[in-house]
Amino acid sequence: MKKSPLVRTAVLVSGGGTNLQAIIAAKLFGEIQNCDLVAVISSNHGAYALDRARAAGIDASVVDVTTFPTKRTFNTALMQKLKDLDVDLVVLAGFMQVLQRPICKEWENRIINVHPALIPSFSGEGCYGLKVHQMALDYGVKVTGATVHFVTEEVDAGPIILQKAIDILPNDTAKSLQRRVMEQAEWDILPKAIDLFCRGKLRVEGRRVIIEE
Ligand code: GAR
Protein backbone atom coordinates (compact mmCIF):
# COMPACT_ATOMS: atom_id res chain seq x y z
CA MET A 1 0.00 0.00 0.00
CA LYS A 2 1.26 3.49 -0.82
CA LYS A 3 2.30 5.44 2.29
CA SER A 4 0.89 8.97 2.63
CA PRO A 5 3.58 11.67 2.68
CA LEU A 6 4.72 12.98 6.06
CA VAL A 7 3.00 16.14 7.27
CA ARG A 8 5.62 18.88 7.49
CA THR A 9 5.02 20.42 10.90
CA ALA A 10 6.39 23.56 12.55
CA VAL A 11 5.90 24.19 16.27
CA LEU A 12 5.74 27.81 17.41
CA VAL A 13 6.78 28.54 21.01
CA SER A 14 7.50 31.43 23.37
CA GLY A 15 8.42 29.87 26.71
CA GLY A 16 9.33 26.74 28.61
CA GLY A 17 8.26 24.31 25.94
CA THR A 18 6.77 21.52 28.06
CA ASN A 19 4.09 21.00 25.41
CA LEU A 20 6.81 20.81 22.77
CA GLN A 21 8.52 18.18 24.94
CA ALA A 22 5.27 16.20 25.10
CA ILE A 23 5.05 16.32 21.29
CA ILE A 24 8.68 15.18 20.91
CA ALA A 25 8.12 12.30 23.37
CA ALA A 26 4.85 11.21 21.77
CA LYS A 27 6.51 11.13 18.38
CA LEU A 28 9.39 9.08 19.76
CA PHE A 29 6.95 6.54 21.25
CA GLY A 30 5.06 6.27 17.96
CA GLU A 31 1.98 8.00 19.36
CA ILE A 32 2.16 10.65 16.64
CA GLN A 33 2.31 9.11 13.22
CA ASN A 34 2.92 10.50 9.77
CA CYS A 35 4.47 13.70 11.11
CA ASP A 36 7.78 15.36 10.26
CA LEU A 37 8.79 17.95 12.89
CA VAL A 38 10.71 20.23 10.55
CA ALA A 39 11.15 23.27 12.77
CA VAL A 40 10.61 24.94 16.11
CA ILE A 41 10.29 28.72 15.90
CA SER A 42 10.32 30.97 18.95
CA SER A 43 9.09 34.55 19.21
CA ASN A 44 11.98 35.32 21.58
CA HIS A 45 15.60 34.29 22.16
CA GLY A 46 15.14 33.34 25.83
CA ALA A 47 12.64 30.52 25.31
CA TYR A 48 13.85 27.27 26.92
CA ALA A 49 11.81 25.49 24.26
CA LEU A 50 14.68 26.27 21.85
CA ASP A 51 17.06 24.14 23.95
CA ARG A 52 14.53 21.32 24.03
CA ALA A 53 14.24 21.43 20.23
CA ARG A 54 18.00 21.44 19.70
CA ALA A 55 18.46 18.56 22.16
CA ALA A 56 15.99 16.58 20.07
CA GLY A 57 17.83 17.44 16.85
CA ILE A 58 15.06 19.67 15.51
CA ASP A 59 15.91 22.85 13.61
CA ALA A 60 15.33 25.73 16.06
CA SER A 61 15.19 29.40 15.18
CA VAL A 62 13.86 32.74 16.39
CA VAL A 63 11.65 35.34 14.77
CA ASP A 64 12.21 37.96 17.46
CA VAL A 65 9.00 39.92 17.98
CA THR A 66 10.88 42.78 19.64
CA THR A 67 12.81 43.56 16.47
CA PHE A 68 9.71 44.39 14.41
CA PRO A 69 8.04 47.81 14.43
CA THR A 70 4.50 46.37 14.28
CA LYS A 71 2.61 43.11 14.84
CA ARG A 72 1.87 43.13 11.12
CA THR A 73 5.55 43.13 10.09
CA PHE A 74 6.24 40.39 12.65
CA ASN A 75 3.42 38.32 11.13
CA THR A 76 4.77 38.92 7.61
CA ALA A 77 8.24 37.70 8.60
CA LEU A 78 6.82 34.66 10.37
CA MET A 79 4.65 33.82 7.38
CA GLN A 80 7.64 34.03 5.03
CA LYS A 81 9.60 31.70 7.31
CA LEU A 82 6.75 29.15 7.36
CA LYS A 83 6.44 29.35 3.57
CA ASP A 84 10.19 28.88 3.11
CA LEU A 85 9.92 25.73 5.25
CA ASP A 86 6.99 24.53 3.11
CA VAL A 87 4.98 23.74 6.23
CA ASP A 88 1.68 21.80 6.07
CA LEU A 89 0.76 22.11 9.76
CA VAL A 90 1.52 24.83 12.31
CA VAL A 91 1.27 23.97 16.02
CA LEU A 92 1.08 26.74 18.62
CA ALA A 93 2.54 25.26 21.81
CA GLY A 94 2.64 28.12 24.29
CA PHE A 95 3.02 30.71 21.54
CA MET A 96 2.18 34.11 23.04
CA GLN A 97 1.68 36.13 19.85
CA VAL A 98 -1.56 36.62 17.92
CA LEU A 99 -1.57 35.32 14.35
CA GLN A 100 -3.17 37.78 11.94
CA ARG A 101 -5.50 37.14 8.99
CA PRO A 102 -2.91 36.34 6.24
CA ILE A 103 -1.37 33.44 8.22
CA CYS A 104 -4.77 32.20 9.43
CA LYS A 105 -6.05 32.18 5.84
CA GLU A 106 -2.94 30.59 4.30
CA TRP A 107 -3.07 27.70 6.81
CA GLU A 108 -6.84 27.60 7.32
CA ASN A 109 -7.77 24.56 9.45
CA ARG A 110 -4.07 23.72 9.50
CA ILE A 111 -3.03 25.68 12.61
CA ILE A 112 -3.58 23.98 15.97
CA ASN A 113 -3.41 25.78 19.34
CA VAL A 114 -3.50 24.50 22.91
CA HIS A 115 -5.28 26.69 25.46
CA PRO A 116 -5.21 26.03 29.22
CA ALA A 117 -8.98 26.24 29.86
CA LEU A 118 -12.23 24.78 28.60
CA ILE A 119 -13.02 27.18 25.76
CA PRO A 120 -15.21 29.29 25.62
CA SER A 121 -14.42 29.90 29.31
CA PHE A 122 -11.42 32.01 30.27
CA SER A 123 -10.27 32.55 26.70
CA GLY A 124 -9.73 35.29 24.12
CA GLU A 125 -7.33 38.20 23.79
CA GLY A 126 -5.22 38.68 26.94
CA CYS A 127 -6.03 35.23 28.37
CA TYR A 128 -2.82 33.25 28.47
CA GLY A 129 -0.53 31.31 30.78
CA LEU A 130 -0.93 31.53 34.55
CA LYS A 131 -3.55 34.31 34.25
CA VAL A 132 -6.06 31.82 32.84
CA HIS A 133 -5.83 29.62 35.94
CA GLN A 134 -6.14 32.61 38.29
CA MET A 135 -9.29 33.62 36.37
CA ALA A 136 -10.76 30.13 36.83
CA LEU A 137 -9.97 30.19 40.58
CA ASP A 138 -11.36 33.72 41.01
CA TYR A 139 -14.56 32.77 39.20
CA GLY A 140 -14.96 29.77 41.46
CA VAL A 141 -15.50 27.10 38.81
CA LYS A 142 -15.12 23.54 40.08
CA VAL A 143 -13.88 22.14 36.78
CA THR A 144 -11.41 23.55 34.27
CA GLY A 145 -9.13 21.86 31.73
CA ALA A 146 -7.51 22.31 28.34
CA THR A 147 -8.67 22.76 24.77
CA VAL A 148 -6.98 22.05 21.45
CA HIS A 149 -8.56 23.94 18.56
CA PHE A 150 -7.98 25.18 15.04
CA VAL A 151 -6.85 28.78 14.88
CA THR A 152 -8.90 31.50 13.25
CA GLU A 153 -8.40 35.26 13.24
CA GLU A 154 -10.53 35.62 16.36
CA VAL A 155 -8.39 34.64 19.36
CA ASP A 156 -9.27 31.21 20.87
CA ALA A 157 -12.50 31.02 18.84
CA GLY A 158 -11.75 28.42 16.16
CA PRO A 159 -13.31 24.94 15.85
CA ILE A 160 -12.56 22.71 18.85
CA ILE A 161 -10.69 19.44 18.21
CA LEU A 162 -10.29 17.97 21.73
CA GLN A 163 -10.99 19.03 25.31
CA LYS A 164 -10.15 17.44 28.64
CA ALA A 165 -11.60 18.43 32.00
CA ILE A 166 -9.67 18.66 35.29
CA ASP A 167 -11.23 19.04 38.75
CA ILE A 168 -10.26 22.09 40.77
CA LEU A 169 -9.20 21.10 44.30
CA PRO A 170 -9.97 23.16 47.43
CA ASN A 171 -6.34 24.16 48.05
CA ASP A 172 -5.37 24.84 44.43
CA THR A 173 -3.26 27.88 43.57
CA ALA A 174 -2.87 29.15 40.00
CA LYS A 175 0.52 27.39 39.92
CA SER A 176 -0.70 24.00 41.17
CA LEU A 177 -3.66 24.14 38.82
CA GLN A 178 -1.47 25.09 35.85
CA ARG A 179 0.79 22.13 36.55
CA ARG A 180 -2.11 19.65 36.80
CA VAL A 181 -3.83 21.00 33.67
CA MET A 182 -0.57 20.68 31.76
CA GLU A 183 0.35 17.20 33.02
CA GLN A 184 -3.09 15.63 32.85
CA ALA A 185 -4.71 17.50 29.98
CA GLU A 186 -2.47 19.53 27.65
CA TRP A 187 0.34 16.98 27.30
CA ASP A 188 -2.29 14.36 26.49
CA ILE A 189 -4.62 16.10 24.06
CA LEU A 190 -2.11 18.19 22.07
CA PRO A 191 -0.09 15.19 20.79
CA LYS A 192 -3.38 13.30 20.18
CA ALA A 193 -4.75 16.14 18.06
CA ILE A 194 -1.52 16.34 16.05
CA ASP A 195 -1.64 12.60 15.42
CA LEU A 196 -5.29 12.79 14.29
CA PHE A 197 -4.47 15.68 11.95
CA CYS A 198 -1.39 13.99 10.49
CA ARG A 199 -3.33 10.77 9.87
CA GLY A 200 -6.02 12.76 8.03
CA LYS A 201 -8.71 12.00 10.62
CA LEU A 202 -10.01 15.56 11.17
CA ARG A 203 -12.77 17.13 9.10
CA VAL A 204 -14.15 20.61 9.79
CA GLU A 205 -17.86 21.26 9.27
CA GLY A 206 -18.68 24.82 10.26
CA ARG A 207 -17.75 25.14 13.92
CA ARG A 208 -17.61 21.39 14.45
CA VAL A 209 -14.61 19.13 14.03
CA ILE A 210 -15.52 15.61 13.03
CA ILE A 211 -13.06 12.93 14.12
CA GLU A 212 -13.09 10.04 11.66
CA GLU A 213 -11.88 6.80 13.18
C1 GAR B 1 0.65 26.25 28.34
O1 GAR B 1 -0.09 26.11 29.51
C2 GAR B 1 -0.26 26.67 27.20
O2 GAR B 1 -1.53 26.09 27.25
C3 GAR B 1 -0.35 28.14 27.44
O3 GAR B 1 0.95 28.53 27.81
C4 GAR B 1 1.61 27.44 28.45
C5 GAR B 1 2.91 27.19 27.73
O4 GAR B 1 3.68 26.23 28.41
N1 GAR B 1 -0.82 28.84 26.26
C6 GAR B 1 -1.63 29.89 26.32
O5 GAR B 1 -2.01 30.38 27.35
C7 GAR B 1 -2.07 30.43 24.97
N2 GAR B 1 -3.29 31.15 25.09
P1 GAR B 1 4.88 25.47 27.69
O6 GAR B 1 5.78 26.51 27.03
O7 GAR B 1 5.59 24.79 28.84
O8 GAR B 1 4.32 24.50 26.70
Side-chain angles (χ1 to χ4, degrees):
M1 203 170 82
K2 197 170 161 258
K3 252 186 111 189
S4 52
L6 297 180
V7 175
R8 291 178 62 80
T9 303
V11 183
L12 307 191
V13 295
S14 298
T18 63
N19 277 288
L20 169 68
Q21 198 69 61
I23 296 167
I24 292 168
K27 201 167 168 293
L28 216 59
F29 287 117
E31 292 160 7
I32 298 177
Q33 289 177 24
N34 208 38
C35 176
D36 188 6
L37 283 179
V38 292
V40 169
I41 303 168
S42 171
S43 57
N44 66 84
H45 286 278
Y48 185 64
L50 290 165
D51 295 283
R52 295 184 192 269
R54 291 187 187 115
I58 303 166
D59 180 73
S61 60
V62 180
V63 180
D64 184 353
V65 67
T66 63
T67 62
F68 294 89
T70 61
K71 296 285 179 196
R72 192 175 58 79
T73 48
F74 168 72
N75 263 257
T76 305
L78 185 60
M79 181 159 170
Q80 192 54 55
K81 174 108 194 152
L82 293 170
K83 278 193 166 176
D84 290 346
L85 287 162
D86 194 19
V87 160
D88 304 307
L89 170 66
V90 180
V91 176
L92 311 187
F95 187 64
M96 299 307 176
Q97 301 299 321
V98 174
L99 296 184
Q100 295 180 335
R101 177 192 283 260
I103 295 187
C104 294
K105 283 283 159 216
E106 180 77 25
W107 285 276
E108 190 169 17
N109 295 333
R110 294 191 296 146
I111 308 175
I112 291 175
N113 179 47
V114 62
H115 183 75
L118 295 174
I119 289 174
S121 290
F122 314 119
S123 59
E125 193 110 36
C127 296
Y128 56 84
L130 206 55
K131 272 202 239 179
V132 177
H133 303 289
Q134 193 58 57
M135 287 168 81
L137 289 175
D138 291 347
Y139 200 92
V141 292
K142 302 294 186 195
V143 174
T144 185
T147 302
V148 177
H149 64 95
F150 283 118
V151 172
T152 56
E153 238 182 294
E154 197 184 335
V155 176
D156 295 336
I160 290 169
I161 303 168
L162 294 172
Q163 290 188 300
K164 191 167 177 185
I166 298 294
D167 285 337
I168 292 183
L169 305 178
N171 293 327
D172 260 330
T173 60
K175 273 250 172 236
S176 67
L177 189 54
Q178 179 183 48
R179 187 73 197 172
R180 222 166 49 257
V181 167
M182 279 178 156
E183 280 178 3
Q184 295 178 19
E186 296 184 42
W187 302 345
D188 176 31
I189 62 175
L190 182 59
K192 272 187 184 147
I194 295 170
D195 176 60
L196 288 167
F197 181 95
C198 291
R199 289 191 296 117
K201 300 290 186 190
L202 300 179
R203 188 161 48 83
V204 182
E205 278 182 13
R207 277 213 50 82
R208 297 180 60 208
V209 178
I210 316 296
I211 300 174
E212 295 166 334
E213 279 305 338

